[in-house]
Amino acid sequence: MSDTITIVGNIVSDLEERTTRGGDAVAAFRVASGERKYDRDRGEWIDVHTNFYSVSVFGELGRHALASLRKGQRVLLTGRLRLREWETDAKRGVSADITASAIGHDLRWGVTSFDRPRTAAPTTSDPSPERQEDAWAVPDIGAAEGLGDGDLSASAPGPIDGAIADAPSETPTAEPALVGHADAQPF
């Protein structure tokens, strides 16, 4: 059986670095995902049941997991679940294995920092350095919207570092202003 699953849980083993026969990196570790419920008689939350999953993370995502994740951290992950039956001379059981397609820290319990590798591949076939744009660069919104050469400084104060910039100090509102489109509304 193979299904898509999303879980939130704690990493309960050290991450192991493995490789496939083809030489690709694999991060392997275990995650415990517990169910809790509120016990009205005791007036507290109690652990009801915990599921344990073996997680494999392949390729570049696996390399990033090895560099970013540690035992004890809370993570959110999604991937393909496979239930695998196993048997030894003494016992038999079922293992829940997940091949992760996305993984990250659970920000409910702490903060994290994102560092993108500096080896981004060029996004165009033009070899000139001017045309080898960063794959994650913020698009020139003004040019894309047909607003001229893309200079939005006259219509929106502040730096453009995505879709939101702080409102100018003379504006009486504390809400952030959306930048980049003429009919943009604050959140």
Side-chain angles (χ1 to χ4, degrees), residues 18-184:
R18 300 178 183 167
T19 55
T20 64
R21 288 184 200 118
D24 283 337
V26 180
F29 55 95
R30 304 242 324 138
V31 171
S33 178
E35 179 184 349
R36 302 188 83 200
K37 74 174 192 177
Y38 189 75
D39 185 334
R40 292 179 193 257
D41 296 335
R42 291 186 194 174
E44 62 185 28
W45 287 92
I46 59 170
D47 293 322
V48 178
H49 180 75
T50 301
N51 291 320
F52 291 88
Y53 300 93
S54 296
V55 179
S56 297
V57 190
F58 291 85
E60 194 68 22
L61 183 59
R63 282 188 283 282
H64 292 167
L66 288 164
S68 303
L69 304 175
R70 300 289 172 262
K71 180 178 178 179
Q73 292 179 337
R74 189 133 175 109
V75 293
L76 168 71
L77 69 91
T78 189
R80 288 187 328 270
L81 171 67
R82 188 182 83 173
L83 299 178
R84 183 177 45 85
E85 293 184 32
W86 55 270
E87 185 174 347
T88 65
D89 292 337
K91 53 183 162 177
R92 53 189 263 191
V94 176
S95 174
D97 300 336
I98 298 175
T99 301
S101 57
I103 187 167
H105 290 111
D106 181 356
L107 298 181
R108 173 181 279 191
W109 304 104
V111 297
T112 191
S113 174
F114 181 78
D115 293 321
R116 190 170 44 122
R118 300 290 180 217
T119 58
T123 59
T124 67
S125 59
D126 186 347
S128 66
E130 299 82 32
R131 296 297 302 157
Q132 291 184 359
E133 298 173 9
D134 188 347
W136 286 25
V138 176
D140 190 349
I141 298 169
E145 296 286 330
L147 300 174
D149 63 0
D151 180 14
L152 298 178
S153 59
S155 63
I160 298 176
D161 61 354
I164 301 175
D166 293 326
S169 58
E170 59 270 11
T171 304
T173 181
E175 294 181 331
L178 254 148
V179 175
H181 198 278
D183 350 313

